[in-house]
Amino acid sequence: HVQLVESGGGSVQAGGSLTLSCTASGGHGSSNVMGWFRQTPGKEREVIAAIYTGGGSTYYADHVKGRFTISQDKAKATVFLQMMGLKPGDTATYYCAGQGGPTGLAFPPEEADFTYWGQGTQVTVS
């Protein structure tokens, strides 16, 4: 059973940076695709970045391209989301997620394809 734990959220001023981490336990190797989603109250959860852990291919939502970078440390079963140039509109709860089974990276990734979810970490940009 895969468990995902996010960390690194917090409060930052506009223009600042944060790096989120997501560490998997219980079988990270089975998640071919890891993603970061975010959600604000009253809105649907949206995918913002994803990575194919086997080959490193990445996906970014248009509104974070050039500002956010997803990466991984396979040895530590950890996925990162480096966020730069943060804007107040980036304020949200950020979730790490992983797909189960031999899946590929879709463009864009579908939330329904993600089996494992972290508890979320809050990012506030003022």
Side-chain angles (χ1 to χ4, degrees), residues 58-76:
T58 56
Y59 163 85
Y60 295 97
D62 287 343
H63 50 282
V64 304
K65 281 181 181 177
R67 299 190 298 124
F68 291 11
T69 302
I70 188 170
S71 61
Q72 62 175 336
D73 183 335
K74 296 187 73 172
K76 296 183 178 180

Side-chain angles (χ1 to χ4, degrees), residues 62-108:
D62 287 343
H63 50 282
V64 304
K65 281 181 181 177
R67 299 190 298 124
F68 291 11
T69 302
I70 188 170
S71 61
Q72 62 175 336
D73 183 335
K74 296 187 73 172
K76 296 183 178 180
T78 299
V79 175
F80 305 95
L81 184 68
Q82 181 182 24
M83 305 183 292
M84 303 177 66
L86 284 163
K87 307 173 182 179
D90 294 318
T91 296
T93 301
Y94 284 70
Y95 297 90
C96 172
Q99 294 185 5
T103 58
L105 179 60
F107 291 85

Side-chain angles (χ1 to χ4, degrees), residues 6-17:
E6 302 104 334
S7 61
S11 297
V12 65
Q13 291 187 336
S17 302

Side-chain angles (χ1 to χ4, degrees), residues 4-6 20-23 28 31-38 45-53 57-60 69-72 78-81 94-100 103-106 108-111 113-118:
L4 304 177
V5 178
E6 302 104 334
L20 307 182
S21 300
C22 171
T23 299
H28 171 65
S31 292
N32 281 4
V33 178
M34 297 292 294
W36 286 96
F37 292 72
R38 70 185 184 189
R45 189 158 51 189
E46 61 170 344
V47 60
I48 53 172
I51 185 168
Y52 180 67
T53 61
S57 297
T58 56
Y59 163 85
Y60 295 97
T69 302
I70 188 170
S71 61
Q72 62 175 336
T78 299
V79 175
F80 305 95
L81 184 68
Y94 284 70
Y95 297 90
C96 172
Q99 294 185 5
T103 58
L105 179 60
E110 296 289 340
E111 180 177 341
D113 292 335
F114 289 81
T115 303
Y116 312 111
W117 292 87

